[in-house]
């Protein structure tokens, strides 16, 4: 079975494409990468973490045993941990590689592996590509006798709780507000440990939703979208105490925010508020890194604060590399993950929350007023994201060819196409907005993003590219319940 890494490591359906063989190949490939890329005598420590998914701990232990058998010194996390925690541990231990067993926001049937580099962020693209190549070339016969589950649980050795708490609070730059009431949805993921402890120590942590680990995530994807946070939004809206709602995805690198009126903040709103906070309150100016799928509003906010925007392909490995190379002050993607140059070039949803709440305190205004001011200052574009389910067995090669053919469009919903970007899928600009079409790297989905001055205009862009591609689309599944 050939492995194909996506935008951030490898993901697959447990027992189907995420198997013992796949795990063995990744572990052996990672070991070969370290031996090939670095000279002997280097640090052999490899932090290994895992989320709350089915068999996540067992998968992590299997990788630990494989790494030990090939001469490395893996450190197994003491409990389910967020991916940002594992990234921090990788740099804290000056390790050359960190391994996190997680499938992030994917459904419970999925699991996967994220790889972290010694810089404390997603492994750079060229290094991830090398691990993929070596994994597919690995001779797993050498470990075929090692069972997936072997004896009692291994002794955990990775615990950087104290250092992580100190560093993330230092990066936030304040001590919190015990009077501020927070309502938090952990979505049954890996954040209900360390994130919960930090928030409870700095704020009035009131209502907690889905705070217990659950491999099935309550029957829904651990993705903090507006549709899955209706209960949280309703509870915040009727709280009456100027409370704020927070929600974290399955592995803690993405944040969702519900403002004091029960409104879901869009990821680009959060990003722009944080960018303004860094520029106005921390006097940080310079390069801002975003994925090609992110809102153009960021360009206008960045320009107003003497910052330059650098666009990269989708996937935080691209953001992480660009942040390091350009010494960026902030980097993020439209799915809700943001990293900060003064901390780590890695998404950390806890730090995002702390910085946003600090910005709110310094502004002396509720979040909903801060967002309205943002639009008064920079305009109000409408950003939409559509995921189109592909027919089972669809050829990625054929669909990618159809995406490339979009470059032939001279008009988009009646408007002249003025610019193209094919660094990741195909992005088409008009004078009034843009649309991007790309294939998901981890799921059988066509991802479409569009932005314009109105919802009607943005939807017209989406319809135009779908009409050009003429895809066979299966019936839409029933939406997740909350």
């Amino acid at each position: 079975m050939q492995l194909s890494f996506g935008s951030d490591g490898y993901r697959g359906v447990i027992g189907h494409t995420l198997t013992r063989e796949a795990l063995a190949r990744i572990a052996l490939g990672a070991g070969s990468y370290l031996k090939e890329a670095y000279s002997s005598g280097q640090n052999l420590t490899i932090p290994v973490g895992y989320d709350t998914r089915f068999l996540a701990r067992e998968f992590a232990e299997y990788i630990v045993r494989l790494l030990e058998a090939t001469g490395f010194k893996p450190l197994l996390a003491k409990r389910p941990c967020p991916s940002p925690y594992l990234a921090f541990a990788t740099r804290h231990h000056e390790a050359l590689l960190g391994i996190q067993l997680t499938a992030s926001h994917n459904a419970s049937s999925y699991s996967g592996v994220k790889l972290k580099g010694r810089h404390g962020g997603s492994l750079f693209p060229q290094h991830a590509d090398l691990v993929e190549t070596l994994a597919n070339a690995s001779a797993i016969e050498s470990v075929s006798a090692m069972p997936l589950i072997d004896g009692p649980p291994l002794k955990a050795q990775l615990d950087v709780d104290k250092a992580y708490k100190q560093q993330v609070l230092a990066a936030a730059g304040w001590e919190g507000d015990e009077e501020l009431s927070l309502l938090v949805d952990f979505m049954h993921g890996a954040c209900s440990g360390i994130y919960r402890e930090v928030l409870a120590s700095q704020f009035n942590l009131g209502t907690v939703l889905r705070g217990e680990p659950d491999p099935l995530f309550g029957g829904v994807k651990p993705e903090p979208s507006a549709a899955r946070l209706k209960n949280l939004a309703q509870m915040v809206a009727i709280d009456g105490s100027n409370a704020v709602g927070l929600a974290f995805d399955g592995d803690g690198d993405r944040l969702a925010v519900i403002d004091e009126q029960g409104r879901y903040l869009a990821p680009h709103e959060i990003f722009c508020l944080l960018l303004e906070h860094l520029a106005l309150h921390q006097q940080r100016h310079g390069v801002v890194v975003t994925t090609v799928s992110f809102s153009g509003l960021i360009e206008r906010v960045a320009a107003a604060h003497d910052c330059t925007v650098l666009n990269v392909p989708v996937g935080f490995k691209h953001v992480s590399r660009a942040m390091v190379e350009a010494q960026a002050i902030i980097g993020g993607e439209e799915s809700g993950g943001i990293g900060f140059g003064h901390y780590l070039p890695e998404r950390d949803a806890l730090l995002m929350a702390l910085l946003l709440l600090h910005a709110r305190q310094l502004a002396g205004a509720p979040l909903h007023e801060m967002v309205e001011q943002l639009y008064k200052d920079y305009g109000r574009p409408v950003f939409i994201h559509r995921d189109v389910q592909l027919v089972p067995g669809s050829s990625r090669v054929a669909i990618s060819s159809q995406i490339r053919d979009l470059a032939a469009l001279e008009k988009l919903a009646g408007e002249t196409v003025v610019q193209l970007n094919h660094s990741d899928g195909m992005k088409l600009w008009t004078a009034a907005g843009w649309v991007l079409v790309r294939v998901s790297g981890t799921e059988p989905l066509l991802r479409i993003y569009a932005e314009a001055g109105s919802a009607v205009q943005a939807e017209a862009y989406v319809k135009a590219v779908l009409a050009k591609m003429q895809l066979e689309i299966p019936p839409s599944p029933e939406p997740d319940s909350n």
Side-chain angles (χ1 to χ4, degrees), residues 263-329:
R263 176 184 171 275
Y264 177 90
L265 267 62
H268 63 269
E269 294 171 345
I270 296 173
F271 190 98
C272 289
L273 290 177
L274 289 171
L275 173 55
E276 288 219 302
H277 174 60
L278 294 178
L280 293 174
H281 301 134
Q282 297 191 2
Q283 301 302 308
R284 299 184 189 278
H285 307 274
V287 175
V288 174
V289 178
T290 70
T291 54
V292 69
S293 58
F294 222 165
S295 171
L297 180 65
I298 296 168
E299 303 270 355
R300 299 197 287 276
V301 177
H305 295 289
D306 299 319
C307 294
T308 302
V309 175
L310 176 63
N311 292 134
V312 298
V314 174
F316 216 83
K317 60 186 178 183
H318 301 290
V319 177
S320 186
R321 178 175 65 180
M323 288 184 69
V324 172
E325 293 177 347
Q327 297 183 345
I329 63 170

Side-chain angles (χ1 to χ4, degrees), residues 50 56-62 64-65 68 76-79 148-157:
Y50 54 93
R57 166 87 186 209
E58 288 79 6
F59 288 165
E61 291 191 359
Y62 179 63
V64 165
R65 287 187 278 116
E68 287 178 335
L76 179 67
K78 65 177 182 179
R79 59 178 175 179
L148 179 62
I149 299 175
D150 185 21
L154 297 179
K155 181 180 179 181
Q157 297 173 297

Side-chain angles (χ1 to χ4, degrees), residues 47 71 88 160 197 269 300 422:
F88 172 85
V160 294
E197 292 164 8
E269 294 171 345
R300 299 197 287 276
H422 54 82

Side-chain angles (χ1 to χ4, degrees), residues 145 166 171 194 301 317 369 414 451:
Q166 290 176 339
I194 187 70
V301 177
K317 60 186 178 183
E369 291 184 6
E451 187 172 71

Side-chain angles (χ1 to χ4, degrees), residues 422-473:
H422 54 82
S423 63
D424 189 344
M426 185 63 65
K427 187 173 185 178
L428 302 92
W429 274 274
T430 71
W434 55 268
V435 65
L436 168 69
V437 184
R438 56 182 293 273
V439 179
S440 169
T442 59
E443 299 176 87
L445 297 173
L446 186 72
R447 299 198 186 278
I448 306 177
Y449 314 83
E451 187 172 71
S454 69
V456 171
Q457 192 174 32
E459 291 286 358
Y461 291 168
V462 174
K463 291 178 182 178
V465 294
L466 284 175
K468 171 68 174 177
M469 294 183 69
Q470 296 182 327
L471 291 173
E472 181 184 358
I473 301 174

Side-chain angles (χ1 to χ4, degrees), residues 130-456:
L130 178 56
V131 173
E132 178 185 332
T133 298
L134 294 170
N136 284 311
S138 60
I140 63 169
E141 295 81 8
S142 61
V143 297
S144 60
M146 184 178 289
L148 179 62
I149 299 175
D150 185 21
L154 297 179
K155 181 180 179 181
Q157 297 173 297
L158 179 66
D159 181 357
V160 294
D161 284 12
K162 182 177 179 180
Y164 175 77
K165 291 176 183 177
Q166 290 176 339
Q167 291 298 313
V168 79
L169 289 173
W174 73 315
E175 295 302 319
D177 181 0
E178 294 182 355
E179 300 300 316
L180 176 59
S181 178
L182 297 181
L183 288 75
V184 183
D185 190 340
F186 292 104
M187 305 201 79
H188 298 301
C191 300
S192 58
I194 187 70
Y195 282 16
R196 185 172 185 169
E197 292 164 8
V198 173
L199 292 174
S201 70
Q202 308 301 121
F203 303 93
N204 176 14
L205 183 55
T207 301
V208 170
L209 302 177
R210 295 185 273 204
E212 298 301 321
D214 177 6
L216 299 178
F217 303 108
V220 302
K221 292 173 64 175
E223 182 176 21
S225 63
R228 296 184 178 93
L229 299 178
K230 291 179 180 178
N231 284 347
L232 179 64
Q234 290 172 355
M235 295 177 73
V236 172
I238 65 176
D239 182 87
S241 64
N242 209 30
V244 173
L246 306 175
F248 302 100
D249 75 330
D251 73 328
D253 56 17
R254 292 170 53 187
L255 172 73
V257 179
I258 305 295
D259 73 17
E260 302 82 358
Q261 296 183 335
R263 176 184 171 275
Y264 177 90
L265 267 62
H268 63 269
E269 294 171 345
I270 296 173
F271 190 98
C272 289
L273 290 177
L274 289 171
L275 173 55
E276 288 219 302
H277 174 60
L278 294 178
L280 293 174
H281 301 134
Q282 297 191 2
Q283 301 302 308
R284 299 184 189 278
H285 307 274
V287 175
V288 174
V289 178
T290 70
T291 54
V292 69
S293 58
F294 222 165
S295 171
L297 180 65
I298 296 168
E299 303 270 355
R300 299 197 287 276
V301 177
H305 295 289
D306 299 319
C307 294
T308 302
V309 175
L310 176 63
N311 292 134
V312 298
V314 174
F316 216 83
K317 60 186 178 183
H318 301 290
V319 177
S320 186
R321 178 175 65 180
M323 288 184 69
V324 172
E325 293 177 347
Q327 297 183 345
I329 63 170
I330 187 173
E333 54 188 358
E334 63 79 29
S335 59
I338 300 174
F340 303 93
H342 68 285
Y343 176 63
L344 291 177
E346 177 64 294
R347 296 158 292 185
D348 190 305
L350 177 60
L351 181 54
M352 288 173 62
L354 294 172
L355 286 168
L356 185 65
L357 295 174
H358 193 201
R360 176 183 182 274
Q361 184 203 51
L362 293 174
L367 289 172
H368 62 88
E369 291 184 6
M370 295 171 67
V371 171
E372 285 305 309
Q373 187 61 51
L374 189 72
Y375 288 136
K376 287 180 182 178
D377 293 340
Y378 305 106
R380 188 188 295 269
V382 176
F383 178 90
I384 61 175
H385 171 198
R386 296 280 182 272
D387 282 343
V388 179
Q389 188 74 37
L390 298 175
V391 172
S394 296
S395 168
R396 293 178 66 89
V397 173
I399 292 171
S400 296
S401 177
Q402 290 189 62
I403 291 175
R404 287 193 297 273
D405 289 344
L406 292 174
L409 284 173
E410 296 181 355
K411 296 283 187 177
L412 189 66
E415 299 174 13
T416 302
V417 176
V418 298
Q419 186 178 349
L420 300 174
N421 183 321
H422 54 82
S423 63
D424 189 344
M426 185 63 65
K427 187 173 185 178
L428 302 92
W429 274 274
T430 71
W434 55 268
V435 65
L436 168 69
V437 184
R438 56 182 293 273
V439 179
S440 169
T442 59
E443 299 176 87
L445 297 173
L446 186 72
R447 299 198 186 278
I448 306 177
Y449 314 83
E451 187 172 71
S454 69
V456 171

